[in-house]
Amino acid sequence: MSNQNQNTANPAHLVAEQLNTHTMIVLKFPIQNGLGETVSELKMRRAKVGDLRAVGQLKNEMEQELALFARLTGLVPEDLDLLDTADYKQIQDTFRKFSE
């Protein structure tokens, strides 16, 4: 991401932050995604009922959770597989905070 993009305040982004609709998660152990890009932080949004419905038909709870977190972070499940467990726990904790 260029410095210009980081320094430009997007009004919609600011409103979303103020409404607590998403949060940034800084990874303790960055990963290389499937495109070969280094991922050092994730933007995670709050879940919607449609997200829960979309993953509800999957076989088991772990697969459901991975699919849900992929939807909420913009990663694919294969990228989530690369996360250190400490970083995955941050995602789980953020999801729980959103659900409170």
Side-chain angles (χ1 to χ4, degrees):
M1 185 181 302
S2 72
N3 287 338
Q4 180 181 4
N5 289 342
Q6 290 175 346
N7 294 330
T8 303
N10 177 337
H13 174 78
L14 295 175
V15 169
E17 275 187 359
Q18 291 168 353
L19 294 174
N20 196 27
T21 60
H22 75 275
T23 193
M24 295 302 291
I25 300 170
V26 177
L27 299 180
K28 295 175 183 173
F29 303 94
I31 61 168
Q32 295 282 321
N33 67 14
L35 300 173
E37 303 164 333
T38 299
V39 179
S40 58
E41 60 182 23
L42 302 174
K43 180 178 176 181
M44 185 172 179
R45 65 174 176 82
R46 294 179 63 88
K48 307 287 185 201
V49 172
D51 296 314
L52 300 176
R53 286 175 37 116
V55 303
Q57 301 96 7
L58 296 175
K59 300 177 244 180
N60 62 57
E61 286 184 30
M62 185 64 177
E63 293 300 319
Q64 290 175 355
E65 185 176 271
L66 283 169
L68 179 62
F69 291 165
R71 289 176 66 98
L72 302 181
T73 62
L75 292 178
V76 295
E78 292 80 11
D79 289 338
L80 289 171
D81 286 342
L82 301 174
L83 290 173
D84 186 271
T85 55
D87 290 322
Y88 190 76
K89 184 177 182 319
Q90 287 189 96
I91 293 172
Q92 290 174 315
D93 292 346
T94 299
F95 177 74
R96 284 187 196 99
K97 286 177 190 170
F98 277 156
S99 299
E100 293 174 349

